[in-house]
Amino acid sequence: NMKLGGLGPDYEAIKEKVKKLKQQKEYAKQIKEHNMKNVASVQRLPTKPQVILSVSRQKALEYAKKIPKPKTFTARQCEEAKEEKVLPQTLNGESLPQIVSLETLQNRHEKEKRVVATFRTLHIF
């Protein structure tokens, strides 16, 4: 009574595999339900108690709260400052351009010299 392999599908082997998969799924379902019951019954650990800050740190924080914050410089204040400046006028009543300070001109000259030097080192000019 010997059965040799055939060319078609083996339905008996497939039925055994399907049966085994169903058993695995059923077992997984039972384990999941068991774990859910255990998780619900286990009490949660209490949260960590708040760490009390040191006395010196508390004093420092209270002091920092009492200090007034500096006022910020807004754009509106900047515009008001520009409007307040009165430009010098000529005899005809025309306003003269504002004279830029010598220091700012020297700083600008130094920056431009550095830019030109970098261009020359890169042989762009």
Side-chain angles (χ1 to χ4, degrees):
N1 236 0
M2 194 168 152
K3 183 176 180 184
L4 298 174
L7 292 177
D10 188 9
Y11 291 112
E12 292 177 19
I14 293 174
K15 287 179 184 178
E16 290 176 13
K17 288 181 184 179
V18 169
K19 183 179 177 183
K20 188 176 180 181
L21 285 174
K22 285 182 181 178
Q23 288 176 347
Q24 286 178 346
K25 287 182 182 181
E26 184 63 32
Y27 180 72
K29 192 176 190 181
Q30 290 174 0
I31 295 295
K32 184 177 180 181
E33 290 174 2
H34 178 71
N35 288 339
M36 293 299 281
K37 289 177 184 175
N38 285 346
V39 169
S41 65
V42 173
Q43 295 178 354
R44 301 222 182 248
L45 296 175
T47 58
K48 293 182 181 179
Q50 292 181 348
V51 179
I52 300 173
L53 298 175
S54 64
V55 176
S56 61
R57 176 145 174 85
Q58 285 180 342
K59 288 181 182 178
L61 289 173
E62 289 174 13
Y63 176 75
K65 289 178 184 177
K66 292 178 184 177
I67 295 177
K69 294 183 179 179
K71 295 180 181 178
T72 58
F73 187 74
T74 60
R76 190 177 296 167
Q77 291 173 345
C78 181
E79 290 174 3
E80 291 174 1
K82 287 181 181 178
E83 291 174 2
E84 291 176 4
K85 292 181 183 178
V86 177
L87 296 175
Q89 295 184 354
T90 61
L91 295 174
N92 298 338
E94 299 173 3
S95 59
L96 294 173
Q98 188 176 3
I99 299 173
V100 182
S101 68
L102 183 60
E103 293 175 358
T104 56
L105 290 174
Q106 287 177 340
N107 290 338
R108 180 177 166 193
H109 178 67
E110 292 298 323
K111 287 179 186 177
E112 289 176 354
K113 281 172 72 176
R114 283 188 230 124
V115 170
V116 170
T118 55
F119 280 129
R120 285 188 179 156
T121 57
L122 296 174
H123 304 292
I124 293 176
F125 275 16

